[in-house]
Amino acid sequence: MRILILDIETKPGMAAVFGLWNQNISLPALFDSGEMMSFAAKWYGSKEIVFSSTYHQDKETMLLTIYTLLEEADAVVTFNGERFDLKILNQEFLKIGLAPVKPYLSIDLYRTVKNRFRGISNKLNWWLNYLGIPVKEETGGMQLWV
């Protein structure tokens, strides 16, 4: 069984707003919907990491690379992939005219920790700390984009 471990990164959408609290942003106020900008993936058992980004190549090439990996996968491991990563990927594939990826088993570790355990948090960094695994490198969050 080929198991692909995957994470994507997106840039935020941008909108013109008149306030910060309890806003309902209309479509005309949205001037950038955001988009996928990179991914990192590796096959379970391999040390090689496949990374691609729109900074290093054009977007279609990046998307074709991850599409090919998903087509080879029997299972895909993500953290919150069911609600985020996989839906974003499907949206991006649709936009460039690709057929849906062949079916694979989705192993979403966010769903696993939420459904099977009771940590004080369901955030990835909390679980990594709790299990003694090195955490994801901090990027500065929204301040990075600003």
Side-chain angles (χ1 to χ4, degrees):
M1 174 179 262
R2 295 206 72 196
I3 302 171
L4 185 68
I5 302 164
L6 169 68
D7 187 32
I8 73 164
E9 299 300 332
T10 60
K11 69 177 193 172
M14 305 202 33
V17 298
F18 290 103
L20 299 178
W21 171 250
N22 202 19
Q23 296 296 302
N24 185 4
I25 300 166
S26 65
L27 286 177
L30 185 66
F31 55 89
D32 186 344
S33 297
E35 64 182 342
M36 182 179 158
M37 55 185 276
S38 68
F39 78 87
K42 67 175 263 181
W43 294 106
Y44 179 75
S46 171
K47 292 188 185 280
E48 180 187 352
I49 295 173
V50 179
F51 174 79
S52 184
S53 76
T54 55
Y55 179 78
H56 294 98
Q57 60 199 158
D58 66 273
K59 187 171 179 182
E60 188 166 330
T61 300
M62 176 190 71
L63 291 171
L64 289 170
T65 302
I66 187 59
Y67 184 89
T68 301
L69 292 171
L70 288 169
E71 280 285 305
E72 296 173 19
D74 298 309
V76 177
V77 178
T78 58
F79 193 90
N80 201 29
E82 284 293 317
R83 289 180 40 204
F84 186 77
D85 303 62
L86 302 176
K87 288 184 176 188
I88 296 287
L89 284 167
N90 289 336
Q91 175 182 325
E92 295 283 3
F93 296 154
L94 176 67
K95 188 173 181 180
I96 65 168
L98 292 173
V101 177
K102 75 169 184 65
Y104 51 80
L105 175 64
S106 174
I107 303 167
D108 188 333
L109 297 178
Y110 175 78
R111 283 188 171 185
T112 301
V113 298
K114 190 171 180 177
N115 292 334
R116 305 216 35 204
F117 303 98
R118 177 60 179 100
I120 197 147
S121 172
N122 290 324
K123 291 185 178 281
L124 178 59
N125 275 355
W126 187 88
W127 279 100
L128 293 174
N129 273 318
Y130 180 76
L131 297 170
I133 300 170
V135 299
K136 286 178 74 171
E137 187 173 319
E138 287 298 323
T139 62
M142 188 54 75
Q143 191 59 37
L144 172 69
W145 297 102
V146 174

